[in-house]
Amino acid sequence: GEQVEQRPPHLSVREGDSAIIICTYTDSATAYFSWYKQEAGAGLQLLMSVLSNVDRKEEQGLTVLLNKKDKRLSLNLTAAHPGDSAVYFCAASHYNQGKLIFGQGTKLSIKP
Amino acid sequence: EAAVTQSPRNKVAVTGGKVTLSCNQTNNHNNMYWYRQDTGHGLRLIHYSYGAGSTEKGDIPDGYKASRPSQENFSLILELATPSQTSVYFCASGTGFSDYTFGSGTRLLVI
């Protein structure tokens, strides 16, 4: 079945810098990708989602890139601020499967 | 406001005891899911449901049962709790493969 690998597990960047999180997946039939943010003690909150026919999507300081050839998905946070400190998860699914497979998570810390 | 509510927020259980985790959603979503979250593993799918009366096994169903008596409610049942089931459990609702709404989680400690 589908496997999603996420890296790095921990990431520390200075306030105002960019942070990049990468996920790779195994199944070329994967059709839907999403990124979630989890703040301390809380559930997961959807940040952005893309279908497999989209290569790039930007929203509110976040950029998602999808490279289907390399089966790689990335999340780029530009100009990080303290409120971005959280654990980030990527997730993937197929059209005909009503379930998301999650990556292992990346704990992002923003240094002042 | 549409939401997913989990109860209890925290639970301490004795090894061999029965534990029921409850989830209620007001999103009118057909699909509901139970995940557990452990360091280094991310979220792993335990059981899910496509609607009232249906339950499906996820990737790690052993030791867990699920019940979906209505569109709004989805329960996770540990008949004989073990310390290895100590974890944080998340319920979510969604439509097909689309965006999920998560609850705030239940922290379970089995001693």
Side-chain angles (χ1 to χ4, degrees):
Chain A
E2 172 76 278
Q3 294 185 27
V4 178
E5 298 292 328
Q6 183 174 343
R7 65 179 193 274
H10 301 277
L11 180 60
S12 180
V13 302
R14 292 194 180 280
E15 186 173 356
D17 287 350
S18 296
I20 298 176
I21 303 170
I22 294 173
C23 287
T24 56
Y25 58 97
T26 56
D27 192 336
S28 58
T30 301
Y32 178 82
F33 304 89
S34 51
W35 286 95
Y36 287 82
K37 176 183 180 181
Q38 183 183 32
E39 297 180 339
L44 280 70
Q45 174 189 4
L46 178 69
L47 288 176
M48 200 184 310
S49 56
V50 297
L51 293 173
S52 59
N53 60 352
V54 173
D55 295 330
R56 181 187 182 100
K57 186 174 181 180
E58 294 184 46
E59 282 183 4
Q60 298 180 328
L62 302 174
T63 301
V64 172
L65 297 177
L66 177 60
N67 182 324
K68 292 186 288 291
K69 174 177 175 292
D70 295 337
K71 298 189 183 70
R72 187 175 66 215
L73 176 76
S74 67
L75 174 69
N76 188 338
L77 290 79
T78 56
H81 57 85
D84 292 329
S85 294
V87 180
Y88 292 79
F89 292 92
C90 63
S93 71
H94 295 178
Y95 279 119
N96 61 354
Q97 290 184 3
K99 60 178 183 177
L100 290 176
I101 306 299
F102 285 85
Q104 294 80 7
T106 296
K107 184 173 183 179
L108 176 63
S109 301
I110 310 302
K111 298 178 292 186
Chain B
E1 181 179 312
V4 176
T5 304
Q6 294 182 230
S7 62
R9 286 299 310 270
N10 295 282
K11 173 75 177 178
V12 179
V14 176
T15 297
K18 182 177 181 178
V19 176
T20 300
L21 307 183
S22 300
C23 179
N24 175 275
Q25 58 111 349
T26 59
N27 302 322
N28 197 30
H29 287 159
N30 288 332
N31 298 354
M32 295 186 75
Y33 308 85
W34 277 106
Y35 287 86
R36 62 177 285 176
Q37 181 178 23
D38 303 285
T39 303
H41 292 281
L43 277 79
R44 292 181 289 174
L45 182 63
I46 307 170
H47 283 289
Y48 59 106
S49 168
Y50 291 126
S54 98
T55 60
E56 306 288 337
K57 293 182 179 179
D59 299 319
I60 53 164
D62 293 345
Y64 303 93
K65 292 183 179 179
S67 173
R68 182 86 181 272
S70 64
Q71 177 83 339
E72 296 79 20
N73 295 294
F74 190 37
S75 297
L76 185 68
I77 303 152
L78 291 67
E79 294 279 3
L80 294 170
T82 68
S84 64
Q85 293 175 313
T86 292
S87 186
V88 181
Y89 292 85
F90 286 98
C91 175
S93 72
T95 55
F97 60 87
S98 184
D99 310 330
Y100 288 10
T101 302
F102 279 84
S104 299
T106 294
R107 190 172 296 271
L108 174 65
L109 173 63
V110 182
I111 57 175

